[in-house]
């Protein structure tokens, strides 16, 4: 029988199957599900997706930064109560998204601000690294097919842009090397049991060197072409 007191994050690009998988995990384990930061936002907040003003973009990101810390707090409190916790993404999602934005809109990018803010929050344990981070890798063609088959659900088109998608994956590939993680070529019919098995094999978490993740995050600013580096040196 597996131990509880674990935090497991499920992430991936839009239409990769996170919601369906989280439902299966909840049904199998009776786990506590932590919603994503975006789903916790005040629906009356009407932020422009990409503003021409850097100041406006920072105001927006500060709001989501507080939601990311709230997600971590909810997850940690549930773990402390002895629950098995699954998170629908975490703070790495915001960083990956804004890393990708920074590649295309550096003049109004909040990413440099985020590096400082999120690194400090990690140092002060306001953002929690999970016991296991599972990334669901699904091809762009398949994600587009799923998007088209569910027109009722609103999904941001930027997540289906090939360059934007590649840049988000680049960030994840680097970040997940610094923490306990599992990168899954995901197919709901054939790999769900593999994920169940990985969840059940999680042992007591060894000490994670938060500095490794912080260093990676800071290093992403050294070269906006970091995707070339990771393609050449960190192919999975």
């Amino acid at each position: 029988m597996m131990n509880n007191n674990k935090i497991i994050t499920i992430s991936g690009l839009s239409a990769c199957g996170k919601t369906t998988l989280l439902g299966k995990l909840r049904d199998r384990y009776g786990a506590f599900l932590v919603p994503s930061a975006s789903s916790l936002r005040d629906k009356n907040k009407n932020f422009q997706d990409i503003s021409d003003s850097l100041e406006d973009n920072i105001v927006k990101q500060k709001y989501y930064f507080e939601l990311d810390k709230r997600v971590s707090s909810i997850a940690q409190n549930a773990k402390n109560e002895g629950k098995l916790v699954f998170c629908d993404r975490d703070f790495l999602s915001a960083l990956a998204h804004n890393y990708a934005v920074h590649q295309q809109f550096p003049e109004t990018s909040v990413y440099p601000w985020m590096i400082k803010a999120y690194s400090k929050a990690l140092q002060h344990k306001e953002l929690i690294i999970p016991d296991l981070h599972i990334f669901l890798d699904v091809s762009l063609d398949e994600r587009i097919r799923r998007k088209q088959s569910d027109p009722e659900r609103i999904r941001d088109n930027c997540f289906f842009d090939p360059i934007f998608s590649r840049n988000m994956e680049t960030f994840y590939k680097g970040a997940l090397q610094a923490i306990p993680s599992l990168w899954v070529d995901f197919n709901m019919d054939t790999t769900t049991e593999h994920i169940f098995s990985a969840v059940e094999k999680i042992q007591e978490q060894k000490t994670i060197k938060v500095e490794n993740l912080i260093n990676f995050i800071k290093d992403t600013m050294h070269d906006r072409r970091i995707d070339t580096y990771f393609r050449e040196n960190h192919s999975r």
Side-chain angles (χ1 to χ4, degrees):
M1 181 177 179
M2 68 174 293
N3 294 326
N4 286 343
N5 298 70
K6 305 294 181 194
I7 298 175
I8 299 150
T9 294
I10 307 295
S11 69
L13 304 192
S14 185
C16 71
K18 292 187 300 294
T19 301
T20 303
L21 176 61
L22 282 163
K24 290 179 178 290
L25 290 164
R26 179 193 57 213
D27 293 344
R28 181 166 180 126
Y29 299 111
F32 182 86
L33 298 188
V34 181
S36 65
S38 59
S39 67
L40 292 174
R41 72 179 179 88
D42 181 350
K43 303 305 181 184
N44 293 319
K45 291 281 185 181
N46 187 24
F47 292 115
Q48 186 174 342
D49 285 341
I50 299 177
S51 171
D52 290 333
S53 165
L54 176 59
E55 291 75 17
D56 287 348
N57 287 334
I58 288 178
V59 168
K60 172 185 176 181
Q61 195 54 52
K62 282 183 176 178
Y63 174 78
Y64 281 104
F65 175 52
E66 294 302 320
L67 291 181
D68 280 328
K69 290 194 290 185
R70 182 179 169 193
V71 165
S72 281
S73 178
I74 293 171
Q76 187 62 56
N77 288 340
K79 178 179 178 178
N80 291 343
E81 293 172 0
K83 297 176 181 177
L84 176 62
V85 182
F86 287 95
C87 297
D88 180 357
R89 293 167 288 173
D90 62 11
F91 63 92
L92 287 181
S93 175
L95 285 164
H97 177 268
N98 282 280
Y99 169 80
V101 170
H102 184 72
Q103 309 308 302
Q104 296 176 286
F105 307 99
E107 297 81 7
T108 56
S109 167
V110 300
Y111 192 60
W113 174 88
M114 290 180 71
I115 287 176
K116 295 178 182 178
Y118 280 67
S119 295
K120 184 177 180 180
L122 279 164
Q123 290 171 332
H124 290 268
K125 298 183 179 180
E126 295 175 302
L127 295 172
I128 302 301
I129 295 176
D131 296 277
L132 180 66
H133 188 122
I134 301 174
F135 184 90
L136 308 181
D137 187 10
V138 176
S139 72
L140 177 60
D141 288 344
E142 175 61 16
R143 292 193 298 109
I144 291 174
R145 186 194 69 76
R146 293 179 186 178
K147 178 178 185 289
Q148 293 172 341
S149 67
D150 187 12
E152 299 286 321
R153 184 168 178 179
I154 299 174
R155 301 179 189 269
D156 195 323
N157 288 330
C158 74
F159 294 113
F160 300 89
D161 174 80
I163 296 175
F164 196 91
S165 296
R166 183 196 67 196
N167 285 329
M168 282 195 70
E169 286 191 356
T170 293
F171 179 92
Y172 272 115
K173 285 178 184 176
L176 296 187
Q177 291 181 52
I179 64 176
S181 63
L182 178 67
W183 190 286
V184 180
D185 291 319
F186 186 56
N187 179 294
M188 190 66 70
D189 296 326
T190 60
T191 52
T192 302
E193 287 296 330
H194 173 56
I195 291 172
F196 289 161
S197 177
V199 167
E200 291 165 8
K201 289 179 181 177
I202 298 175
Q203 301 299 317
E204 200 64 34
Q205 187 188 74
K206 297 180 180 179
T207 301
I208 296 173
K209 293 184 178 179
V210 178
E211 295 79 9
N212 290 346
L213 179 58
I214 292 173
N215 288 339
F216 165 77
I217 293 169
K218 291 179 177 178
D219 284 346
T220 59
M221 278 301 297
H222 292 173
D223 184 358
R224 286 181 52 215
R225 295 165 297 175
I226 195 171
D227 57 328
T228 301
Y229 171 82
F230 280 107
R231 281 203 305 275
E232 294 175 351
N233 295 284
H234 297 282
S235 59
R236 64 179 191 281

